[in-house]
Amino acid sequence: MVRFHPFRGWRYNPEVVGDLASVLCPPYDLIGPEMEQSLARQSPYNAVHLEGAEQPDWQQPAHLRYTRAAALFQQWRSADVLRRDREPGFYLLQHSFSHQGQTKSRLALFGCVGLEEYEQRRILPHELTHAPAVQDRVSLIESCGANFSPIMA
């Protein structure tokens, strides 16, 4: 049986960041260089500063890409930009968007899921994922101790 349990999430502190719309960003694989710059200009606390974009600067040494995000994540926690929930919980997200002229809506449930072997087919892999992108996300998670780009299911 798949292990799925609550966790203590981090939330933006609206008293520090102001309008929450200014700090949200799409998933990293939808963010190109122009969008990344635009989002970064919206707020010094925009999640893109942690999340990055699909095409990281591969000229930059790997340890710098992830240690900068980890240091910024720690700085935001220390400055009360982000607050951790006191109790573990599951998180619901309702997301509305336009597609082909129609408004669509989906509901997602977030929690911690245990690792499973792909061969067991209890947890299905994200589609069309390439090794460099997987390594990028794994390195970011390991450096920061947090997942800034959870997969909606």
Side-chain angles (χ1 to χ4, degrees), residues 29-68:
D29 58 349
L30 300 178
I31 302 171
E34 290 179 16
M35 182 186 285
E36 183 178 15
Q37 291 172 4
S38 174
L39 291 165
R41 285 191 300 268
Q42 285 184 18
S43 170
Y45 306 120
N46 190 288
V48 78
H49 295 288
L50 299 173
E51 178 81 74
E54 182 177 23
Q55 302 297 321
D57 181 358
W58 296 111
Q59 303 304 321
Q60 185 181 62
H63 70 280
L64 290 181
R65 285 196 303 272
Y66 307 112
T67 56
R68 284 186 182 149

